Amino acid sequence: MRKRWISLLVTALLIAGVLTPASPAMAAPTFRVPFPCGQTWSGQTRSGHSPAYAIDFNRTDDAGDPVVASAPGTVDVVTNLGNTSYGKYVRINHGGGYTTYYAHLSGFNVSVGQTVGYGKVIGWVGSTGGSTGPHLHYEQRLNGSDIQVRFNGGLALYWGTKNYTSGNGCSSGAGSGTVDTSGTPLTVRSGPGTGYAAVGTVADGTKVTIACQTSGTSVTGTYGTSTIWDRIGGGRFIADAYVYTGYDGYIPNVPRC
Ligand SMILES: [Zn+2]
């Protein structure tokens, strides 16, 4: 969390019924370019594409290049449709109704049920199915319908061709923060909520490393009211309302737990 006066203003507006809080469960994942960190790929959208909002990615000599998960999730489809449609493709379920599709792969590096994080290699660029040359066909869907692709929250180019540079898996993705309780030790819970067991405390002023963030019970703290909880270790969660992270809400490069 960041500036307490902003949080207090938002809280006041919420109480006044001026704003409706977005449900964290419905928040879109932070998707990243589906290639390893630092690579630049040309992504093409076109209105005649099926489905319309898919992106076809290419770069020079791209056959066999690794394709990576664009957000954390669970692999729920790994299949081969033969010489039609997607050919060999992978689908990842990101929760909240969001899925991503990676099609025309030459091979697979994951299996159904596998949990993947940012940057995990899921397969390799190919030309299987109804493809006339090596490329990655990529989609983002919500509740089964294709949606306009976003990377790091920014809308892809519709319609046309644009270079996208990957920031996917560039680091551990961990964030950091400082506990601010005005003196009282902050209770550490075994899960993201006040109903979970207390498993320790962290002192006011402690710098913490945040491995991932998730939503849990609502807590009102130094930086206003928030349902965000920060995982600071295995089975160790603290309420983000008491942590200065530099951001109001989720930290952009930190994954969801
Ligand atoms: Zn395509």
Side-chain angles (χ1 to χ4, degrees):
M1 302 298 278
R2 186 167 50 187
K3 293 169 184 165
R4 64 183 76 188
W5 69 268
I6 289 178
S7 296
L8 289 172
L9 173 62
V10 169
T11 302
L13 290 170
L14 286 171
I15 290 167
V18 176
L19 295 177
T20 303
S23 167
M26 298 304 291
T30 301
F31 293 113
R32 297 187 188 157
V33 174
F35 299 103
C37 176
Q39 293 185 1
T40 298
W41 287 71
S42 173
Q44 183 198 65
T45 59
R46 55 189 188 276
S47 57
H49 209 170
S50 179
Y53 299 139
I55 298 184
D56 281 346
F57 282 104
N58 280 102
R59 69 173 188 170
T60 303
D61 294 330
D62 51 12
D65 284 352
V67 174
V68 307
S70 58
T74 304
V75 175
D76 65 357
V77 175
V78 177
T79 199
N80 184 358
L81 300 179
N83 292 324
T84 61
S85 184
Y86 293 146
K88 292 181 179 176
Y89 83 101
V90 168
R91 185 175 76 187
I92 300 175
N93 186 336
H94 305 282
Y98 289 91
T99 53
T100 49
Y101 288 64
Y102 312 79
H104 310 309
L105 301 174
S106 63
F108 303 122
N109 195 45
V110 288
S111 52
V112 171
Q114 187 171 341
T115 300
V116 295
Y118 285 117
K120 168 67 183 177
V121 175
I122 59 169
W124 295 274
V125 172
S127 187
T128 57
S131 169
T132 55
H135 71 284
L136 175 69
H137 171 102
Y138 173 80
E139 300 172 22
Q140 294 175 0
R141 294 192 182 215
L142 176 59
N143 298 324
S145 299
D146 79 311
I147 54 175
Q148 293 195 325
V149 168
R150 289 179 179 273
F151 294 122
N152 299 313
L155 190 63
L157 175 64
Y158 289 96
W159 311 93
T161 300
K162 176 184 165 180
N163 283 337
Y164 298 86
T165 298
S166 173
N168 194 338
C170 294
S171 69
S172 67
S176 61
T178 304
V179 174
D180 181 357
T181 58
S182 305
T184 316
L186 179 61
T187 302
V188 179
R189 301 281 178 178
S190 64
T194 50
Y196 288 90
V199 293
T201 59
V202 284
D204 185 23
T206 302
K207 282 190 159 56
V208 291
T209 297
I210 300 168
C212 59
Q213 297 183 299
T214 188
S215 66
T217 57
S218 181
V219 170
T220 300
T222 310
Y223 298 101
T225 299
S226 174
T227 58
I228 299 172
W229 286 71
D230 303 330
R231 189 164 79 85
I232 59 169
R236 292 170 61 81
F237 290 81
I238 56 176
D240 189 63
Y242 285 105
V243 183
Y244 176 86
T245 61
Y247 298 93
D248 291 319
Y250 288 101
I251 306 169
N253 290 322
V254 170
R256 302 294 180 274
C257 300

